[in-house]
Amino acid sequence: MAKIVLIWWSAAGLLLLGEMLIPGASLLWLGLAALATGTVLVAVPELPLLLQALLFGGFAAVAVACYLRWFRGREPVSDRPLLNQRAQQLVGREFVLFEPISNGRGRLKIGDSLWTVLGPELPAGTRVRITATDGLLLTVAAI
């Protein structure tokens, strides 16, 4: 067996090992592409290095396209899609302003946390509804 075939298969093994250590289905497809490239080189051992790289790139593109087309769309839908998006969970809820909104910014106390809010000029103690989020900034409107 040619030395270059062993190099491609070793690269495939390292990529697949990396996938096991850091799961996320990103290195898996590159590992499969390297494995396929090595397998093609068994049949055509004198393929130039540039064509090997193009072959690997083509296999990688096909593998990623297959993942996006067939596997990614079949992932289970979460019953709690906002689980790790605390700010998004607050949209639509009503609270009382902790600090007044001046120059477009104020503070809102939710539980034991203070959140920065954006909105119209309002005094402290005004009841507001959260209408949107931008990262950790909450947009509010007076009720």
Side-chain angles (χ1 to χ4, degrees):
M1 203 173 312
K3 183 178 173 183
I4 194 72
V5 172
L6 294 177
I7 291 173
W8 278 107
W9 284 351
S10 297
L14 289 174
L15 287 165
L16 294 173
L17 179 65
E19 178 64 33
M20 287 190 293
L21 296 175
I22 309 167
S26 56
L27 296 177
L28 171 68
W29 308 110
L30 296 177
L32 292 176
L35 185 66
T37 303
T39 304
V40 167
L41 288 175
V42 169
V44 187
E46 298 302 318
L47 201 61
L49 188 59
L50 178 61
L51 289 178
Q52 292 177 32
L54 291 173
L55 190 63
F56 171 72
F59 281 137
V62 168
V64 170
C66 287
Y67 164 70
L68 293 174
R69 171 88 174 150
W70 287 291
F71 296 108
R72 194 171 194 189
R74 291 184 166 84
E75 292 174 351
V77 177
S78 173
D79 60 337
R80 298 180 68 192
L82 300 177
L83 180 63
N84 292 323
Q85 301 175 13
R86 184 159 181 225
Q88 287 290 329
Q89 294 175 8
L90 298 173
V91 173
R93 294 186 55 195
E94 298 175 4
F95 299 95
V96 175
L97 278 178
F98 183 71
E99 293 177 8
I101 299 177
S102 62
N103 295 325
R105 287 185 176 251
R107 308 263 288 180
L108 186 67
K109 188 167 186 173
I110 301 173
D112 60 352
S113 302
L114 286 174
W115 292 74
T116 302
V117 295
L118 307 173
E121 304 283 323
L122 295 170
T126 304
R127 192 150 183 83
V128 293
R129 176 177 290 124
I130 299 172
T131 58
T133 66
D134 181 17
L136 295 177
L137 294 175
L138 306 174
T139 304
V140 297
I143 297 177

